[in-house]
Amino acid sequence: MKSTRVRVIVAAAAAGVALTACSPTQAGAAAVVGGDRISSNELDGNVREFEAALAKANVSVAQLQFPGSLPQVVLFQLATAKQYTKVAESKGVTVTDAEIDQVISATGGQAQHEQQMLQQAVAPSQSRDFTRAKLLMTKLMAKYGGGSDQAALQRGQEQAIKDLASVKITWNPRYGQINAQPSQEQPNLFLDSGRFGADPAAAPQQ
């Protein structure tokens, strides 16, 4: 499942997110994305839904080898999806329901798509929104790149990263300190566990 970890880390590196401490006016927020709150209750609900979906699929958190605790990676995906959406839509990029349906169909249908999203720390109820966010960002990069060759993709990515910096993510420090430059040596999304350390279920099996 190491490819799962790579996908999540690549999302971290591409985002170029900014970190500030959680202010008193953001009490109860797990993260704030460009002024929009992701509440702790919303995060908790997504984590519970995710755990239930894993149990139904007979998959453990440890098998997925996420680069952080379950609350951390679920929060990261919720926040970056919201960031991608806000940035792309502010640049006039849109995605239709039909385009999302096409992606879902290409992965084998709704059930199969949700299974794949579990490997990226995305709860089933968020799978469509997450797919929309990824499509929006892909379209934005293509718009900037002006082509499909490697140089065009590089140009598009560089400009998109600059745009992402305009929509800052403020992380509640209780979840740890964001790792701005994940690497093979330090792959975790957050540099420390904060008040939400590694999940017991994610501990290496003896």
Side-chain angles (χ1 to χ4, degrees):
M1 294 288 184
K2 288 186 178 180
S3 60
T4 298
R5 176 180 296 191
V6 171
R7 284 195 296 271
V8 178
I9 291 172
V10 167
V17 294
L19 171 69
T20 60
C22 188
S23 72
T25 58
Q26 298 160 347
V32 179
V33 185
D36 291 345
R37 298 169 72 255
I38 297 174
S39 71
S40 295
N41 286 340
E42 179 182 352
L43 173 60
D44 291 345
N46 271 272
V47 170
R48 288 194 298 270
E49 180 191 354
F50 186 87
E51 289 174 328
L54 281 187
K56 183 177 180 180
N58 196 29
V59 175
S60 71
V61 174
Q63 287 176 284
L64 296 176
Q65 299 183 0
F66 286 143
S69 70
L70 186 54
Q72 287 173 333
V73 292
V74 171
L75 174 60
F76 184 86
Q77 295 294 59
L78 284 171
T80 52
K82 188 179 289 290
Q83 183 192 42
Y84 291 176
T85 300
K86 289 175 73 70
V87 168
E89 290 182 344
S90 74
K91 301 300 179 180
V93 178
T94 61
V95 166
T96 66
D97 287 339
E99 288 174 311
I100 298 173
D101 290 339
Q102 186 176 12
V103 170
I104 293 173
S105 177
T107 59
Q110 185 66 35
Q112 184 64 30
H113 181 67
E114 289 181 359
Q115 287 295 312
Q116 291 187 13
M117 289 294 98
L118 288 179
Q119 296 179 20
Q120 299 185 52
V122 177
S125 67
Q126 298 297 317
S127 63
R128 194 172 182 88
D129 285 345
F130 188 75
T131 300
R132 180 188 299 277
K134 290 200 298 182
L135 281 173
L136 283 167
M137 188 52 54
T138 298
K139 279 190 168 185
L140 180 63
M141 289 190 290
K143 175 182 177 180
Y144 284 139
S148 57
D149 58 283
Q150 188 60 41
L153 293 174
Q154 183 67 27
R155 288 195 304 271
Q157 184 180 58
E158 289 174 355
Q159 184 57 52
I161 290 174
K162 291 178 182 178
D163 287 347
L164 286 168
S166 68
V167 177
K168 295 183 178 181
I169 301 178
T170 302
W171 308 92
N172 188 324
R174 71 190 299 198
Y175 296 95
Q177 179 184 353
I178 196 71
N179 182 3
Q181 294 182 318
S183 64
Q184 186 173 358
E185 293 73 23
Q186 178 51 269
N188 282 359
L189 296 174
F190 293 81
L191 294 175
D192 60 71
S193 300
R195 292 176 54 190
F196 294 82
D199 294 326
Q205 301 297 312
Q206 300 297 322

